[in-house]
Amino acid sequence: MQFRANWGVSMSSLLLATQLAMATEIPAALPRATPESQGLSSSGISRLVERLDREIDHLHSLMLLRNGHVVAEGWWAPYAADRPHMMYSLSKSWTSTAIGLLVAEGRISIHDPVTQFFPEAVPADASDNLRAMRVRDLLAMSTGQRAEEVDKLAFTRVETTPETFFRLAVDHKPGTLFVYNTPATYMLSAILQRVTGQTLTEYLTPRLYEPLGIGVPEWLRDSRGVDLGGVGLNLRTEDVAKFGQLYLQRGEWQGRRLLPAEWVDLATSKQASNGSDPESEWDQGYGFQFWRCRHGAYRGDGAFGQYCIVMPDERTVIAITGGVTDMGAVMDVLWQELRPNLRAAALREDANAHAALGRQLAGLVMPLPVGDAVPNGDWLGKAFRLESNLGGWETIRVTETAIEAEISGLRHTWPIQNAGWTDAGIVVGEASSVAAAWANDHTLRITRIRHLTPYSQYVTVEFGEGTVVVTAKDNVGFIPSEFRAVGR
């Protein structure tokens, strides 16, 4: 479909003028309502939260919207509503949205060849398949490149650039093969910057961020100053919820149009086939940087449990952040517990159930290390220097009630208590919280939460005769994160 021809200059001019006029109008947070007023039972949501808390290993936040109202929200302490969180590949859906706006403004077409934007980077011997690759093939992750070629750029230190992207073999006709392709999304960001002279962040600020009232989020850039596009966006949970609600409303926000409805329909419908398993959430079809889901839903998602799930038929949006190992399990619980709880009309208010749900949501907390033993040994209060390790731990000194550690050249002091999480300040460049407990008289368990990321570090400190052994492991990760270090 050639949107540039269909919408015309008058439509794109009106859309842009409306967005720019709204740039200084920062609306309030999403409206809140009782679940019952929006056709859900508080007790049903309580069962959903209980299962997520019990069965899913590392959820960080949950926000549930019905009819544009937040009916439930919770953060597993020490995660909090005002802290941004890494989105990983959920960033891709925002990049797609920027491309939709660029198309609406008549500045590109989804049928434009990719090579036309970077003629200086096209190899002299470029294949016919590469020259046939279009913007829509980047959007639908159907560039014709093979997974083993894409992975050379996606998960190594090699920087993705138009030059490196064009050097990848295009063995299949574009549009015929779905391969998950983060470099393709980077190319969308690079195209937008080449056409507009602005980064994704600069372009989206007056058109999306400010109208939605989410401020200007951080988006990581490469050395050329290009927002990464496929990853690197950091958002609060409510920012994600607003984005989902905008899509549920087919691009309208508070009675004004931010995004053409035609683009919403196109981006969230099946544009590429990615499998045939009816029970798999990754085999339902792929849109323009959105996944199709079972039960008529669609989503943007990111590694380790970042979700923006939209259920159009049920007028429902779910925003989740996490550090989970099984993303499908989260959606299984949602379908099993949430869908049967959705009603078309309002329910009778249930003050007791609503109050109980509020207490449950307010009391969510990440698992704490367990133990209340009394330490005993001549190592108490002694400083140990650790051998070189991946975690950057250099020295450690432990008393009955405190930990003193030097990590990557910075000294930290943390209490040992069973009362909950303690603000650990900035550790290795990240805001952190720590909890610690004595498992026995010579073994200390430490958990460190990194607020911006999906990662938690689980540390065990075992004291022996004149030595200490520190072992650590992250909950999730793309590369091995474990280390073991001996100190003397």
Side-chain angles (χ1 to χ4, degrees):
M1 187 178 293
Q2 176 57 275
F3 280 118
R4 182 164 57 195
N6 288 349
W7 292 344
V9 175
S10 60
M11 172 63 183
S12 62
S13 299
L14 176 61
L15 182 69
L16 180 58
T18 300
Q19 293 162 339
L20 294 176
M22 293 173 60
T24 58
E25 301 177 25
I26 305 299
L30 288 164
R32 268 61 177 172
T34 64
E36 283 74 17
S37 71
Q38 304 304 316
L40 295 88
S41 69
S42 294
S43 58
I45 297 177
S46 184
R47 288 191 294 272
L48 166 66
V49 174
E50 190 277 331
R51 279 197 62 188
L52 290 173
D53 190 39
R54 172 169 46 87
E55 298 179 18
I56 306 302
D57 55 357
H58 221 275
L59 280 190
H60 299 165
S61 71
L62 168 70
M63 185 173 284
L64 174 61
L65 278 65
R66 187 88 192 283
N67 301 320
H69 294 77
V70 178
V71 296
E73 57 189 313
W75 287 261
W76 277 256
Y79 295 94
D82 62 345
R83 291 183 181 270
H85 196 285
M86 279 185 177
M87 292 293 106
Y88 280 105
S89 285
L90 181 49
S91 309
K92 292 178 170 67
S93 302
W94 296 74
T95 302
S96 168
T97 302
I99 295 298
L101 291 168
L102 199 62
V103 171
E105 293 168 10
R107 303 172 79 172
I108 68 169
S109 164
I110 62 173
H111 301 299
D112 288 338
V114 176
T115 54
Q116 81 173 34
F117 297 101
F118 307 99
E120 76 286 356
V122 181
D125 59 348
S127 67
D128 290 342
N129 280 345
L130 174 59
R131 294 188 183 279
M133 189 189 301
R134 299 168 294 164
V135 171
R136 83 166 319 279
D137 299 319
L138 300 176
L139 287 162
M141 295 201 177
S142 55
T143 63
Q145 296 160 327
R146 293 178 291 117
E148 52 267 39
E149 289 291 313
V150 171
D151 286 350
K152 292 178 182 178
L153 295 182
F155 300 110
T156 74
R157 293 183 181 272
V158 177
E159 185 176 29
T160 303
T161 64
E163 290 84 358
T164 58
F165 184 83
F166 288 154
R167 284 199 293 270
L168 298 181
V170 186
D171 293 329
H172 302 269
K173 182 179 179 181
T176 63
L177 175 69
F178 172 84
V179 171
Y180 196 71
N181 193 330
T182 296
T185 316
Y186 169 86
M187 291 295 292
L188 293 171
S189 176
I191 288 170
L192 182 142
Q193 189 157 333
R194 174 62 62 95
V195 170
T196 67
Q198 296 178 297
T199 64
L200 274 171
T201 299
E202 292 165 342
Y203 180 79
L204 286 175
T205 293
R207 294 166 173 83
L208 198 66
Y209 298 150
E210 289 177 346
L212 292 179
I214 65 175
V216 182
E218 178 187 5
W219 205 323
L220 297 180
R221 295 178 179 176
D222 71 2
S223 61
R224 297 186 178 192
V226 179
D227 288 348
L228 295 183
V231 294
L233 183 60
N234 301 325
L235 297 166
R236 299 174 305 128
T237 310
E238 188 158 350
D239 301 336
V240 177
K242 288 179 177 180
F243 182 69
Q245 188 63 32
L246 173 67
Y247 266 81
L248 179 65
Q249 295 168 179
R250 298 182 66 230
E252 284 196 4
W253 189 257
Q254 298 187 336
R256 299 165 173 172
R257 180 152 300 282
L258 300 185
L259 185 63
E262 295 91 338
W263 180 263
V264 172
D265 296 342
L266 188 68
T268 62
S269 60
K270 183 178 178 179
Q271 300 297 329
S273 177
N274 54 5
S276 61
D277 183 351
E279 299 304 315
S280 170
E281 297 294 347
W282 285 267
D283 278 23
Q284 306 305 309
Y286 195 76
F288 286 167
Q289 312 284 292
F290 285 88
W291 297 89
R292 294 293 306 174
C293 303
R294 292 181 293 161
H295 310 298
Y298 62 85
R299 73 186 186 278
D301 74 24
F304 312 127
Q306 325 317 316
Y307 304 84
C308 179
I309 302 171
V310 180
M311 303 168 66
D313 295 341
E314 293 85 0
R315 309 181 309 281
T316 298
V317 172
I318 308 151
I320 291 174
T321 62
V324 306
T325 56
D326 186 348
M327 292 182 63
V330 176
M331 287 183 280
D332 287 343
V333 175
L334 290 173
W335 304 144
Q336 293 163 15
E337 295 294 341
L338 179 61
R339 292 185 70 249
N341 191 23
L342 298 169
R343 299 291 182 268
L347 306 177
R348 183 188 299 273
E349 294 291 342
D350 187 337
N352 290 335
H354 186 229
L357 173 61
R359 291 191 296 271
Q360 180 186 26
L361 291 166
L364 295 172
V365 62
M366 293 295 296
L368 294 158
V370 177
D372 58 1
V374 177
N376 181 29
D378 58 9
W379 39 262
L380 279 171
K382 178 182 176 181
F384 292 84
R385 178 161 294 279
L386 301 169
E387 61 192 13
S388 179
N389 58 82
L390 291 174
W393 289 61
E394 298 165 3
T395 65
I396 188 167
R397 176 180 178 272
V398 178
T399 68
E400 290 186 23
T401 58
I403 306 159
E404 295 176 6
E406 186 174 3
I407 304 174
S408 299
L410 297 176
R411 294 188 179 276
H412 305 277
T413 301
W414 305 320
I416 301 172
Q417 56 187 19
N418 295 318
W421 294 96
T422 298
D423 184 358
I426 305 299
V427 182
V428 196
E430 296 183 34
S432 302
S433 292
V434 164
W438 288 104
N440 56 49
D441 65 1
H442 64 280
T443 303
L444 180 65
R445 307 280 190 198
I446 307 169
T447 302
R448 181 169 70 90
I449 297 290
R450 298 156 61 183
H451 290 282
L452 180 64
T453 78
Y455 305 115
S456 293
Q457 186 179 59
Y458 299 100
V459 181
T460 300
V461 184
E462 294 187 272
F463 293 94
E465 190 171 327
T467 63
V468 64
V469 178
V470 177
T471 56
K473 181 179 181 179
D474 282 355
N475 57 318
V476 291
F478 292 114
I479 58 177
S481 60
E482 299 180 49
F483 73 81
R484 178 181 186 275
V486 177
R488 290 181 172 82

